[in-house]
Amino acid sequence: MRPGAAPAAVLVSLSLLTLGTGGRPPSALPDRMADTGGGSQLITAVAPGTGSTSGTLTWWDRKDGRWVAAGSARARFGAKGLAEGAVRKQGTNTTPTGLYGLPYAFGIEAAPRGTAYTYRPVRRSSWWCQDNGSRSYNRWTEPRAADCRAAEAEHLITYRAQYAHALVVDFNYRRPVRGRGAGIFLHVNGRGATAGCVSVPKDTMRRILRWADPGRAPHLAIGTTGGRTAITRY
């Protein structure tokens, strides 16, 4: 999804990631979620509300039966905020809420030392097809598929800052629904909010790639602090 420009990010307090009750120790955010993907690693991206363009991204490890935060950073969302992933529409500049796998990583720059994920290098012939009429819809295509219009695709190498490093988000990916959206990634910040992806500072993205272990089935959960798109629903 093409990164765009939007208002400056507003950091969500880490206090929103825990909930204390009656003097008992606060429960970690993953413990309050409906699902965490079944693995022992998780990334949460939380916005104050659906109209927000910024929030907090935290990555977690499951250790000794407990979820422990391994790191946290400011995150940016779509220029038009967030939308329920199951009904999101393509071209709305919204980030889809939900719980998603992370199939593979890619980047214009080399993978950080220690990256365990399959890491696909971006070349001049690398494109991501967003053309609803193409058989390559929501897929990497190298070179660009003949039935995928250039105006409806991302030439990945042209986004040198954003796609220095990225993880593919399994939104509308395995069984694509035409018109729901294509090219949703966790990637490096551009100049402002995104057109639907989640972005973080470059150093954070590098740390996440060194931390993430596909053998531990990490997932990305995107949501708000409350309401119909509350992250605890996913």
Side-chain angles (χ1 to χ4, degrees):
M1 183 66 69
R2 285 189 177 88
V10 178
L11 177 62
V12 175
S13 170
L14 283 175
S15 65
L16 295 176
L17 301 178
T18 57
L19 176 66
T21 54
R24 287 180 291 176
S27 56
L29 174 59
D31 291 326
R32 295 183 280 119
M33 291 172 57
D35 189 5
T36 57
S40 58
Q41 287 187 329
L42 178 70
I43 304 171
T44 56
V46 186
T50 55
S52 303
T53 59
S54 60
T56 300
L57 184 136
T58 305
W59 52 107
W60 308 79
D61 288 302
R62 184 80 173 169
K63 296 180 178 179
D64 300 322
R66 297 175 59 246
W67 285 103
V68 179
S72 187
R74 290 186 297 178
R76 295 175 182 173
F77 301 103
K80 298 295 184 181
L82 296 84
E84 176 64 57
V87 296
R88 178 187 182 271
K89 295 185 183 300
Q90 184 165 328
T92 56
N93 289 341
T94 55
T95 297
T97 61
L99 178 67
Y100 306 108
L102 299 164
Y104 64 93
F106 69 90
I108 293 171
E109 297 183 13
R113 185 181 298 274
T115 298
Y117 255 88
T118 297
Y119 191 90
R120 191 166 186 175
V122 174
R123 301 181 175 91
R124 292 196 175 277
S125 57
S126 303
W127 295 73
W128 195 278
C129 184
Q130 299 176 5
D131 190 334
N132 282 282
S134 173
R135 288 174 293 180
S136 299
Y137 178 67
N138 203 17
R139 287 292 184 273
W140 183 298
T141 173
E142 192 174 296
R144 178 171 52 83
D147 67 346
C148 182
R149 293 168 292 172
E152 298 295 329
E154 281 194 356
H155 193 195
L156 298 177
I157 203 165
T158 63
Y159 297 94
R160 292 189 175 276
Q162 294 91 333
Y163 297 155
H165 306 292
L167 275 162
V168 175
V169 177
D170 187 14
F171 166 73
N172 201 34
Y173 182 74
R174 299 193 185 278
R175 295 181 180 179
V177 175
R178 309 285 169 156
R180 184 152 295 164
I184 299 298
F185 312 125
L186 172 60
H187 63 69
V188 176
N189 284 340
R191 289 184 292 179
T194 73
C197 297
V198 178
S199 73
V200 292
K202 185 175 182 179
D203 179 66
T204 296
M205 194 68 226
R206 292 177 64 84
R207 289 174 63 192
I208 289 171
L209 286 172
R210 287 192 292 263
W211 161 85
D213 179 356
R216 297 176 62 188
H219 282 66
L220 170 64
I222 305 169
T224 54
T225 56
R228 295 171 61 90
T229 55
I231 196 166
T232 50
R233 290 184 53 239
Y234 303 111

